[in-house]
Structure formats: structure tokens, C-alpha cells
């Protein structure tokens, strides 16, 4: 069962001020979840979550997570700029980027961020651009398949990220020779995992590598970053990950591999995005049309520009029709947006209660990689983002785009002056 964090009455009250479509986030849920995560890793001295900004790049969300003790994980110049303006600096920032432009790398260096190199050639790239900081991370790609209990979870061998095993050893030797004092290791091997075993397995791979790297290169490995990849169940009937069990699984690997090798003081980092935010966001949209042709269609005022995952990945997102939570799901619908693209469907052949024009639909689990992946195709405008605060009030944390915003980048031509405020 997935229950929305707003009722029909609350949604109607909000819509009076902020018309649909909009994304809304649940502050209480975000804070509760962040605290559970910290509890699960409290056994590790120095543990810290660096929220993956790309999942939900909004300063108000970053500030909530900052209050819960999180740092940020950035991958671009503008993410670094936003984090800087929210008061993150130095060791509050992980910079895990790839195909990194000079400007971005310089900004990360100037902010004193932990820099995570994605390639062995980035040693000289960084050195020539800025010099080498005291601490450097390297991103590891073990190649091949990543398997969990004989099931292939992902294919690092096909992924563009990271250094090979041999390159990790070479990089640590080179960095050490160039005066780098402390080291970190990072890897991201599978995305949106719904199993309590992903992190423990990844951790043992990285812990074993750390032991070997230390033995062979003498590097002082202070940090191991397990990155993102803990998923959420988007389906209503698949159980969620249990973060306490995940934390204990990593703890066991830590005690078995690092502690006996005198590496019990390594600090663990995570860079979770989806796990931190996805369940605590809804896309709220209204049914504005219906049509009955070869199939039954529900037309919404939101479209794939507001939530790309179903169109791009065929992802399931649960839908609740507000006020009809207990009505029988006896109608089969395609729930669509208005793009001139037939993949603009939030749901295909979904069994839902009978929907009428004007009904409010909650699309669940849109708090991460939702608004963030938005775009402007068909001249569609980005929606507002709202925050449902702990006291029940609602705050606008990003206004909706206007036509004027959309035309703004033409404002040197004069052609669209009529519509640019
Ligand atoms: C996307 C990303 C994350 C966050 O991934 P989630 O699946 O949202 O947890 C973390 N680190 C890096 C380097 C990423 O690219």
C-alpha cells in the first residue's frame, strides 16, 4: 500500500493558491528518513551522507538535509554554486563528476571539496589546473558484471565511470609520489537496488581493495565512499529496503575486513539521492480531459516534462486518485500528459478507480530524479515545487516557470519582447 502524505482536502486547499501541476515534498518524512540513515551507520566514526544534489537540486531541500548533518555530492558547476550558497564548503562537499570541464574542477578545488577522480588522466588534469589537494578520492570500476546471489544487478564493464583495478594501484602510487597525503575510494556499481545486500556486497569489494591498496602502495586510506544506489520500491507490494539491516551488513564486512587489517578508523561516506528523497515527493496533477478510442485515456495537466522516468525508463510510479483511496480499481486506463510523443504516459493499462474530469491525481515517489530531470519539450513549462512543512503549512520553494522564463534566452533578439517581462 502506498498512502499519499496529503489528503484530498489538503490538496484542494493548496491548489487554490498554487495551481496544478506541482511537485510537493514532505519535510517530516525527509527528516525522519535522514535520522534513520544516521542511526544505521552510527557505529562508524566519521560516517557522513553527502546528498546527491542532482536528485533534487533545490536549496530548501539542501538546507533541510544540512540541518540533519548531511553534506552534498555535486557533479557540476551549478550544483557546486548552489551548494556554496547554502553554506556548504570544504569537507561538506564531495565532487564526484565525470568528463569534468576545467571550470567545474576549479570551482570544486576552490571550495576545498573532496575531489573524486573519475579517470587516471585526471591526476595530471587536476595537477596542471589547480595543483593537488591533500586528500584525493579515486572512483573504482571493477568491470564485468556486478552479481548478487547469482543475479546480474548491473554491468560495470559497460559503464563509462571510474578507473580499472590496475589503474587504481597506479593512481595511488602516482598521487602519493606527488605528495597527496590522504586517500578515498569510491564506487557506484548498481542503481536503484531493492535489496538489503547491495551495500554490504559493495562494501566488501571496496574494503578488500582498500586493504590491498594500502599494502601495496602504503597510501593512507581515510575514507570509503559507498556512493548512491540504495533504491526504493516504486511498486506498492514490494517491501522497502531496511536501512538498519543494510547498516549492520556493512558493519559486519567492516569488522571482518578492515578492522583485522588495522583500518578500523576508516570513515564511511554515502552519496544517496533516491533513497533520501524519492518517497517524500509527489507530483500532483489534475485530470483535464478523457478520451475513449481503442483504449481509455486520462489526460493530465502534467506531462513527461515534469516527470521523465516513465517515458525514459518505463518506470512504474504508483498513482492515487485523491478522495477515491478506497474505491475499487475497476477501470483500466492509460494516464497521459499532453506532449506530442506517445511515450508521454505516466501509466499504461493501470487499474484505477473511475476517474472524472477535475479529479486530483497523486503520482508517488517523485521526490528524487523527478523535477530534476524536467525539460521544456513542446514549450511545456517547469512546474512549481512546494514544501509541506512539519507544522502542516505549505511553502513555495520554487515558483512555476512562466512563458517569460521560457523566452528569456532570446531576450537579445527583440523578437519575443512582447512576452518577456
Ligand atoms: C546519481 C549519483 C548518486 C546518487 O544516486 P542515487 O541512485 O540517487 O542514490 C551518487 N553518486 C554519484 C556519483 C551519482 O552519479
Amino acid at each position: 500500500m502506498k498512502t499519499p502524505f496529503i489528503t484530498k482536502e489538503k490538496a484542494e486547499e493548496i491548489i487554490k493558491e498554487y495551481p496544478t501541476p506541482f511537485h510537493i515534498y514532505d519535510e517530516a518524512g525527509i527528516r525522519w528518513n535522514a535520522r534513520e540513515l544516521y542511526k544505521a551507520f552510527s557505529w562508524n566514526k566519521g560516517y557522513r551522507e553527502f546528498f546527491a544534489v542532482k536528485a533534487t537540486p533545490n536549496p530548501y531541500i539542501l538546507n533541510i538535509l544540512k540541518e540533519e548533518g548531511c553534506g552534498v555530492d555535486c557533479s557540476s558547476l551549478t550544483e557546486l554554486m548552489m551548494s556554496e550558497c547554502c553554506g556548504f564548503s570544504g569537507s561538506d562537499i564531495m565532487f564526484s563528476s565525470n568528463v569534468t570541464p576545467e571550470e567545474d574542477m576549479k570551482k570544486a578545488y576552490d571550495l576545498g571539496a573532496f575531489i573524486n577522480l573519475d579517470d587516471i588522466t585526471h591526476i595530471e588534469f587536476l595537477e596542471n589546473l589547480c595543483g593537488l589537494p591533500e586528500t584525493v578520492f579515486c572512483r573504482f570500476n571493477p568491470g564485468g558484471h556486478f552479481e548478487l546471489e547469482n543475479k546480474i544487478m548491473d554491468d560495470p564493464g559497460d559503464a563509462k565511470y571510474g578507473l580499472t583495478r590496475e589503474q587504481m594501484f597506479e593512481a595511488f602510487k602516482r598521487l602519493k609520489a606527488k605528495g597527496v597525503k590522504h586517500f578515498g575510494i569510491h564506487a557506484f556499481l548498481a542503481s536503484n537496488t531493492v535489496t538489503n545486500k547491495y551495500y554490504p556486497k559493495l562494501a566488501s569489494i571496496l574494503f578488500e581493495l582498500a586493504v590491498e591498496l594500502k599494502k601495496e602502495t602504503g597510501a593512507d586510506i581515510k575514507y570509503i565512499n559507498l556512493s548512491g544506489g540504495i533504491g526504493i520500491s516504486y511498486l506498492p507490494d514490494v517491501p522497502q529496503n531496511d536501512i538498519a539491516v543494510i547498516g549492520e551488513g556493512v558493519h559486519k564486512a567492516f569488522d571482518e575486513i578492515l578492522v583485522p587489517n588495522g583500518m578500523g578508523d576508516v570513515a564511511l561516506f554515502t552519496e544517496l539521492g533516491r533513497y533520501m528523497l524519492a518517497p517524500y515527493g509527489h507530483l500532483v496533477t489534475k485530470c483535464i480531459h478523457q478520451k475513449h478510442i481503442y483504449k481509455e485515456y486520462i489526460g493530465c495537466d502534467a506531462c513527461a516534462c515534469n516527470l521523465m522516468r516513465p517515458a525514459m525508463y518505463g518506470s512504474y510510479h504508483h498513482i492515487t486518485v485523491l478522495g477515491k483511496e478506497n474505491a475499487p480499481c475497476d477501470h483500466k486506463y492509460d494516464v497521459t500528459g499532453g506532449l506530442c510523443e506517445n511515450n508521454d504516459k505516466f501509466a499504461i493499462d493501470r487499474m484505477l478507480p473511475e476517474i472524472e474530469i477535475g479529479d486530483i491525481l497523486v503520482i508517488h515517489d517523485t521526490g528524487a530524479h523527478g523535477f530534476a530531470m524536467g525539460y521544456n519539450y513542446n514549450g511545456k513549462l517547469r512546474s512549481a515545487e512546494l514544501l509541506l512543512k512539519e507544522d502542516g503549512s505549505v511553502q513555495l520553494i520554487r515558483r512555476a516557470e512562466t512563458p517569460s522564463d521560457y523566452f528569456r534566452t532570446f531576450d537579445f533578439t527583440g523578437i519575443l519582447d512582447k512576452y518577456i517581462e
Side-chain angles (χ1 to χ4, degrees), residues 52 54-55 73 75 96-97 116 139 161 186 188 191-192 227-230 271-275 368-369:
K54 73 161 190 256
D73 164 43
S75 60
S96 291
S97 89
N116 185 20
R139 181 169 184 166
Y161 309 107
H186 169 283
F188 189 158
S191 189
N192 191 28
S227 186
I230 299 184
E271 282 175 351
L272 299 165
R274 192 186 316 270
Y275 188 76
H369 312 294

Side-chain angles (χ1 to χ4, degrees), residues 149-371:
E149 295 174 323
N150 298 319
K151 213 181 111 216
I152 294 180
M153 305 282 294
D154 224 317
D155 294 298
D158 290 332
K160 64 175 176 170
Y161 309 107
L163 287 74
T164 67
R165 196 181 162 79
E166 294 70 37
Q167 287 174 338
M168 288 295 287
F169 286 84
E170 172 62 23
F172 272 45
K173 284 180 197 158
R174 241 194 258 175
L175 287 163
K176 201 158 175 277
K178 290 176 187 288
V180 169
K181 291 204 175 69
H182 313 295
F183 290 81
I185 306 175
H186 169 283
F188 189 158
L189 303 186
S191 189
N192 191 28
T193 59
V194 186
T195 157
N196 295 329
K197 298 194 168 131
Y198 168 65
Y199 249 26
K201 172 83 189 279
L202 168 69
S204 12
I205 293 171
L206 290 182
F207 295 166
E208 275 162 15
L209 176 67
V211 169
E212 287 178 54
L213 278 166
K214 188 185 169 192
K215 273 192 188 137
E216 196 166 312
T217 69
D220 173 34
I221 298 165
K222 283 184 76 161
Y223 311 104
I224 294 179
N225 184 339
L226 302 173
S227 186
I230 299 184
I232 64 141
S233 165
Y234 288 89
L235 295 159
D237 47 2
V238 174
Q240 297 292 344
N241 285 324
D242 185 334
I243 200 66
V245 173
I246 292 174
E248 263 324 292
V250 175
H251 192 177
K252 186 162 170 278
F254 191 93
D255 283 351
E256 283 171 7
I257 303 166
L258 289 182
V259 173
N261 284 286
M263 296 176 76
D265 55 354
V266 167
L268 296 184
F269 291 171
T270 55
E271 282 175 351
L272 299 165
R274 192 186 316 270
Y275 188 76
M276 304 307 288
L277 252 298
Y280 312 108
H282 292 334
L283 173 57
V284 180
T285 180
K286 241 183 203 170
C287 168
I288 56 170
H289 289 289
Q290 299 199 3
K291 67 188 286 185
H292 315 287
I293 48 169
Y294 306 104
K295 295 181 86 173
E296 299 295 302
Y297 292 96
I298 296 300
C300 299
D301 58 6
C303 69
C305 291
N306 307 110
L307 177 70
M308 193 195 219
R309 300 185 71 259
M312 188 170 184
Y313 309 119
S315 314
Y316 180 95
H317 277 266
H318 198 63
I319 295 175
T320 300
V321 185
L322 290 183
K324 297 184 177 172
E325 286 83 350
N326 299 315
C329 292
D330 52 6
H331 283 63
K332 192 194 268 188
Y333 292 120
D334 279 17
V335 180
T336 81
L339 289 184
C340 304
E341 273 280 356
N342 197 41
N343 68 1
D344 184 15
K345 294 183 176 179
F346 294 118
I348 297 172
D349 295 333
R350 183 78 56 90
M351 295 307 295
L352 289 166
E354 183 169 17
I355 295 174
E356 285 147 272
I357 289 179
D359 276 354
I360 306 166
L361 277 60
V362 159
I363 304 181
H364 289 254
D365 300 319
T366 65
H369 312 294
F371 180 96

